[in-house]
Amino acid sequence: YVQADKTLHFRRFLNEQRRWLSYDAFARVCMSLGMNQMLVALSYYTIGVYVEANPRASLITLFGIQWLSLHLLRLDVVPGSNPVKELWTVLLCVPTPPIYIGLLISVFHYMGVDDGVLSWFATPAFLLHAWWLFCVGRVLIPMGTGGLQLPKQLRTVLYLDVLSMEQDQAAEAVHITEMRDIAADLRQARVELEERIRGVNDAERDVGSVSGLGRRASEVSAAAQRLKAVLEEARTFETGQGEGALRAETRRAQRALEFVELWHMAPEIHSALEALRATKTQGWLTDEQGSAVSNAYGAFLTKCQELDLGVFTADSPADSPSASGGGALAVASGEEMHVHVQAPLEMSGGVVPMSVWVNPNSNRIQHQQPTSGSSTSFSQVFDSDLPQFTEMATRLRRDMTVSMAEASGTPGASCAPDAPCAPGAPGASPFDNSLREW
């Protein structure tokens, strides 16, 4: 692999360099600007302390400091489009204020002028210093593309480019390559997840029952975790050129994870509805509740068949299933649910509700919640479980409908780029197979 890609370490360096390059660049800005301001402060210190004792030595030192300041700026700053104008700006804003103040103090001290008058005449120097800081802010505006912006007018920042003078282009190319790589990783993890789901569905059809515990203990959960980890990594990438394929794969991965969550919920909803529609349980429900269970069971099976959630046998009819449950798999042994109902109890003061747990597979009726197995109730199914399942199924169906209208154009796709995969086609996922009339 190293021989196949001899520039891998260079591209990796450029990609990692984006994480710390801005900190290094602005640290150099601080050092350059800090040195400039330190020399200004040293100039004023020389004027204020030594101008009265030895004016000549003080002025000579002042000129020397400003000469050093000008040469440091010449070394640090890259000339712009108008170097003559920039030169006059530097001469006016950097050496002029300290020299002006030094001469002003010397002359006014010789003339014996009051210090209050000196303060008024010193005002232009402060205005020039303010104008210099404003010019520095304009010149050191960060520039760049792809989310990496640096003050490139500072020469020391350009020295950070140790690989190429076209660092922005190289970094952008690395960014695009990394996005393509993460898109390929997403696609591979998603395809692996779909294969695991198909394998579990086939195994359930072979044994004739669907198991919620078996699904959660299968390799599907591990594959879903791997896809989720790759998806989190993909979301850390900044958007930019070449992001189309990554964005499309991100949406597909998100739909795949939503499908897995719905796929895990289906056996539990199936087991709860099977328990509610059992003959023994129906005797404890009202006619309205029994009718609601029958209608909900038919709607649930319809959604499972449309989304290919694996609750049906391989030879299930293509049309919508009936409430009788024809073609549906049985609930796995040991995962049948008890049903909690409120039975009326006649007492001397009237009728009061009494909690009863019904086992649809036996004649046992318990007045305390069973310690083994799972329990459900009519209110839990219709107030919580089914609404949540229906909302997720509707949202997933809507997202898949939107995706049908978009051209995939994904490299390596086994189906046409302008159409979804047909059911049973190579590369068709369980949620691709569900693109039918809702």
Side-chain angles (χ1 to χ4, degrees):
Y1 180 79
V2 174
Q3 294 179 351
D5 189 359
K6 297 181 180 180
T7 63
L8 176 62
H9 55 293
F10 290 104
R11 294 189 291 107
R12 178 61 183 270
F13 174 81
L14 286 175
N15 186 52
E16 296 297 332
Q17 188 185 42
R18 298 169 62 89
R19 304 176 185 272
W20 52 262
L21 192 60
S22 296
Y23 298 98
D24 197 345
F26 283 97
R28 293 167 186 264
V29 170
C30 293
M31 287 191 294
S32 178
L33 187 58
M35 178 62 70
N36 175 262
Q37 294 300 300
M38 187 193 72
L39 292 176
V40 171
L42 185 60
S43 299
Y44 284 115
Y45 178 80
T46 303
I47 296 171
V49 175
Y50 298 106
V51 70
E52 295 184 0
N54 193 338
R56 181 180 301 177
S58 177
L59 291 177
I60 292 175
T61 304
L62 175 62
F63 276 97
I65 293 173
Q66 291 306 310
W67 178 86
L68 179 62
S69 178
L70 289 175
H71 277 274
L72 286 177
L73 287 174
R74 182 175 178 272
L75 291 175
D76 288 344
V77 180
V78 178
S81 57
N82 195 341
V84 176
K85 180 180 177 180
E86 294 173 358
L87 176 62
W88 281 108
T89 300
V90 170
L91 291 176
L92 182 64
C93 296
V94 177
T96 300
I99 294 174
Y100 169 72
I101 293 295
L103 295 175
L104 197 66
I105 292 177
S106 300
V107 173
F108 277 28
H109 178 72
Y110 177 79
M111 297 175 58
V113 179
D114 186 71
D115 290 341
V117 178
L118 177 62
S119 299
W120 282 102
F121 278 91
T123 302
F126 294 102
L127 296 178
L128 288 175
H129 281 306
W131 177 251
W132 169 243
L133 294 178
F134 174 76
C135 293
V136 169
R138 289 191 58 188
V139 170
L140 296 181
I141 294 177
M143 298 185 305
T145 58
L148 183 63
Q149 296 186 341
L150 302 174
K152 296 185 177 181
Q153 294 83 350
L154 199 64
R155 200 183 304 271
T156 54
V157 173
L158 297 181
Y159 296 157
L160 295 174
D161 185 8
V162 298
L163 294 182
S164 171
M165 293 302 293
E166 304 294 336
Q167 181 169 330
D168 281 345
Q169 290 80 359
E172 184 66 22
V174 169
H175 187 60
I176 294 175
T177 302
E178 293 291 342
M179 285 196 299
R180 290 174 179 172
D181 292 342
I182 196 67
D185 293 341
L186 274 175
R187 183 164 55 253
Q188 181 179 358
R190 177 174 56 84
V191 170
E192 179 187 0
L193 175 61
E194 295 166 6
E195 292 176 352
R196 303 299 185 192
I197 292 176
R198 279 193 290 267
V200 173
N201 288 345
D202 293 341
E204 289 178 344
R205 292 189 181 104
D206 292 340
V207 299
S209 62
V210 56
S211 171
L213 296 177
R215 288 188 175 189
R216 295 188 182 278
S218 66
E219 296 180 353
V220 173
S221 299
Q225 289 298 324
R226 286 192 292 270
L227 177 59
K228 185 177 181 181
V230 178
L231 181 60
E232 291 297 328
E233 181 182 357
R235 286 173 174 169
T236 62
F237 277 74
E238 301 171 357
T239 57
Q241 183 182 1
E243 67 175 7
L246 179 59
R247 189 190 299 116
E249 282 299 333
T250 300
R251 288 198 299 265
R252 294 189 184 100
Q254 183 61 44
R255 286 198 301 270
L257 292 175
E258 292 175 358
F259 177 85
V260 170
E261 186 175 357
L262 205 63
W263 184 76
H264 281 309
M265 290 177 60
E268 300 173 1
I269 303 293
H270 178 52
S271 178
L273 289 175
E274 286 285 3
L276 286 173
R277 64 188 291 270
T279 304
K280 186 173 181 180
T281 306
Q282 289 288 315
W284 293 86
L285 302 178
T286 63
D287 294 339
E288 292 79 5
Q289 290 176 332
S291 177
V293 170
S294 179
N295 294 334
Y297 186 72
F300 168 75
L301 294 183
T302 300
K303 286 183 172 58
C304 288
Q305 190 174 25
E306 290 171 346
L307 291 174
D308 195 12
L309 294 176
V311 181
F312 282 87
T313 59
D315 55 351
S316 298
D319 55 343
S320 297
S322 63
S324 62
L329 296 175
V331 179
S333 177
E335 298 186 18
E336 300 88 351
M337 291 187 176
H338 296 80
V339 180
H340 179 213
V341 296
Q342 294 291 337
L345 177 64
E346 295 183 0
M347 301 184 66
S348 58
V351 178
V352 295
M354 177 182 61
S355 292
V356 174
W357 279 266
V358 180
N359 186 348
N361 297 326
S362 70
N363 295 324
R364 294 182 58 189
I365 296 177
Q366 299 177 239
H367 296 283
Q368 293 182 351
Q369 184 174 358
T371 57
S372 61
S374 302
S375 300
T376 187
S377 65
F378 181 88
S379 59
Q380 178 181 343
V381 171
F382 283 87
D383 295 341
S384 176
D385 297 343
L386 268 181
Q388 182 182 2
F389 177 86
T390 303
E391 180 184 359
M392 293 178 58
T394 303
R395 182 174 63 250
L396 182 61
R397 179 64 175 86
R398 182 175 61 249
D399 293 343
M400 291 189 299
T401 302
V402 173
S403 68
M404 289 181 62
E406 300 176 353
S408 64
T410 305
S414 56
C415 304
D418 56 347
C421 294
S429 67
F431 31 90
D432 288 328
N433 295 338
S434 66
L435 298 179
R436 306 165 186 159
E437 292 295 330
W438 184 251

